[in-house]
Amino acid sequence: MTDNLMLVYYICIATVTLLNTFFWPRLTCSKDKETILSSKTNYYPHIDVLIPARNEENNIQTCLQSLLTQTYTNYSITVLDDRSTDTTSALVQQFIHQSPSGKLKLIHGKPLPSGWVGKSWACQQLANASHADILVFVDADTIHQPTFLQAMSEKFSNPKIDLVSVFPYQKTQTVGSAWLLSMLGWSLLTHLPLFLIARSRWRVFSSFPIAIGQVLAFRRQAYDAIGGHCAVKTEWVEDIALARLSAKLGLNLLFLNGISQTSCTMYENGQQAWLGFRKNWSLIAGKPMIALIIWIWLSISFTLPYFLLITSCVSNLVQSSILVAFVGIGTSVLTWMCTRRIIQIPIWMVIFFPFLILTSLCLCIDSAHAIRKGKIIWKDREMKSKYPV
């Protein structure tokens, strides 16, 4: 019975992974721009790219360089310096002086009020300062292709679309960051029906609301309807919280594969990745206890096949257990190779896949423990927990 259950599970996630790999819609831009502008819809909204930046001197320049060379012309860029202690503000000022278009402006963030999480407060200030038709929130560590905003405007030309979230290609600089980031992409690709969620005719059901804050765009009316970031001001995982709130209000969300249009270097090294994921790794499923149960199940599911394979070499196992071992290992390799399409990870890491899963379980335990203690430090700010374990 247990063997049959494991086989069904492996087949299900292998199927979901393949469907996502080949049918998860991408953020793409029509090649013929003139055809777009002369079409019947002729949708050409004002887009404001909103960038919350706190101590981003290592990233902000490449981000702005990519955004200032867009083929789309009806747009502006607003950077909020979230009380940085480095040269972030000075670097943005240099770009403003060097950019003759006047598209770029800098605003300075106000002190963080009690009861707010830092990023949500920064994003809300950015939204308050904008009067654009489309609000595109992007992280300062993202880089965008010249057709990024053109592709975004095409998605919003469908009046039924209220939100568009994009999963960027995840760049890694060290083995440590690749080790942890790989599990983020693997989890999404293997266990969520992204090929269905991404299609506009599928309403965002409360079971599958998904978004990623690295690139998150709203039609202005939709953003105001959900109450903006103010509605999720206490949430540590504000992007998923916004998606869930949108689902409750019946709004339509596109969650797209954006690897051809945008990329992100989320963390520079393994230590930074651990500390960054520590604040929310156990919250992605909603509650830490649920996340712990999920990662325990995954750890058992993807270490068991290797254990069975080793055991089969020294003792006689029933045929069904040997089948579980080979199907489980095959599923591991298949899902890992598919994950490499969206995250920059070395191929040799597939050998250590069971250890990657166990590392994620340890991270989840550490995250749940930190949240239970009630305090996490991130970007020199103390985040106080409101989540029971």
Side-chain angles (χ1 to χ4, degrees):
M1 181 65 180
T2 302
D3 290 345
N4 290 337
L5 176 64
M6 298 303 296
L7 287 172
V8 170
Y9 172 66
Y10 294 140
I11 292 171
C12 285
I13 67 166
T15 302
V16 170
T17 302
L18 288 172
L19 288 171
N20 284 337
T21 299
F22 294 105
F23 299 107
W24 180 13
R26 296 194 176 197
L27 178 68
T28 56
C29 179
S30 298
K31 295 180 179 180
D32 188 352
K33 183 181 176 182
E34 296 301 323
T35 301
I36 298 167
L37 297 180
S38 62
S39 66
K40 292 181 180 180
T41 57
N42 197 25
Y43 189 67
Y44 202 58
H46 177 207
I47 297 176
D48 199 355
V49 184
L50 307 175
I51 310 173
R54 179 173 172 84
N55 296 334
E56 295 286 358
E57 63 182 4
N58 294 330
N59 300 309
I60 195 65
Q61 294 183 86
T62 51
C63 179
L64 291 177
Q65 286 170 353
S66 69
L67 289 169
L68 287 168
T69 57
Q70 294 292 302
T71 57
Y72 192 80
T73 56
N74 189 21
Y75 77 100
S76 55
I77 307 167
T78 306
V79 180
L80 181 134
D81 175 31
D82 191 12
R83 307 178 74 80
S84 300
T85 57
D86 63 5
T87 61
T88 297
S89 180
L91 291 171
V92 177
Q93 288 285 9
Q94 289 180 15
F95 271 88
I96 292 174
H97 295 318
Q98 296 169 4
S99 175
S101 63
K103 290 185 177 298
L104 175 63
K105 69 177 181 179
L106 172 69
I107 60 177
H108 296 279
K110 298 176 182 179
L112 181 65
S114 176
W116 280 79
V117 173
K119 184 177 180 180
S120 289
W121 173 236
C123 290
Q124 186 64 59
Q125 292 177 83
L126 283 163
N128 292 344
S130 177
H131 301 284
D133 305 305
I134 306 295
L135 308 179
V136 180
F137 295 93
V138 302
D139 285 353
D141 51 12
T142 55
I143 300 175
H144 310 277
Q145 293 299 311
T147 54
F148 166 66
L149 291 181
Q150 180 65 44
M152 197 65 84
S153 71
E154 290 180 29
K155 294 303 176 185
F156 278 104
S157 66
N158 181 348
K160 295 181 180 179
I161 299 304
D162 301 297
L163 299 84
V164 176
S165 186
V166 175
F167 188 87
Y169 181 69
Q170 303 294 323
K171 292 185 175 181
T172 58
Q173 298 181 348
T174 65
V175 171
S177 60
W179 191 274
L180 292 174
L181 273 169
S182 63
M183 296 313 301
L184 172 65
W186 181 86
S187 303
L188 288 174
L189 204 63
T190 56
H191 289 80
L192 287 175
L194 303 175
F195 64 98
L196 295 181
I197 298 173
R199 300 180 186 279
S200 60
R201 68 175 180 268
W202 287 81
R203 190 166 295 278
V204 187
F205 294 106
S206 58
S207 301
F208 297 117
I210 183 69
I212 187 164
Q214 294 168 351
V215 180
L216 184 57
F218 294 85
R219 200 179 298 277
R220 181 75 210 210
Q221 301 95 310
Y223 183 80
D224 292 339
I226 64 176
H229 282 79
C230 183
V232 296
K233 64 182 181 180
T234 61
E235 300 286 345
W236 291 8
V237 193
E238 85 291 335
D239 43 11
I240 294 179
L242 286 167
R244 287 174 179 155
L245 183 56
S246 301
K248 290 180 180 179
L249 295 178
L251 301 180
N252 283 316
L253 165 69
L254 288 180
F255 184 62
L256 302 175
N257 182 340
I259 62 174
S260 64
Q261 288 291 334
T262 182
S263 63
C264 180
T265 307
M266 193 186 302
Y267 300 114
E268 296 177 359
N269 53 57
Q271 181 183 15
Q272 191 181 89
W274 187 279
L275 293 175
F277 283 130
R278 185 172 183 252
K279 69 183 187 296
N280 54 25
W281 193 253
S282 63
L283 296 175
I284 295 176
K287 293 183 179 180
M289 187 56 67
I290 296 175
L292 282 170
I293 293 171
I294 291 172
W295 282 109
I296 289 171
W297 164 256
L298 291 174
S299 298
I300 294 172
S301 300
F302 288 98
T303 56
L304 179 63
Y306 295 87
F307 174 77
L308 291 175
L309 186 63
I310 293 171
T311 304
S312 68
C313 297
V314 296
S315 62
N316 293 323
L317 289 178
V318 297
Q319 188 174 1
S320 61
S321 296
I322 297 175
L323 180 62
V324 167
F326 280 101
V327 173
I329 293 172
T331 300
S332 299
V333 174
L334 170 67
T335 56
W336 184 260
M337 297 305 291
C338 291
T339 301
R340 289 189 73 245
R341 294 166 61 97
I342 61 174
I343 294 183
Q344 184 182 10
I345 45 179
I347 192 170
W348 56 262
M349 285 178 65
V350 68
I351 301 172
F352 299 97
F353 186 75
F355 299 101
L356 289 168
I357 293 284
L358 292 173
T359 301
S360 297
L361 173 60
C362 292
L363 177 58
C364 187
I365 294 171
D366 186 35
S367 173
H369 176 66
I371 290 168
R372 186 176 184 181
K373 287 175 61 179
K375 293 182 180 179
I376 289 180
I377 304 297
W378 179 245
K379 290 198 172 183
D380 302 321
R381 278 179 175 159
E382 182 181 284
M383 302 172 66
K384 294 184 179 180
S385 174
K386 72 179 187 68
Y387 298 93
V389 175

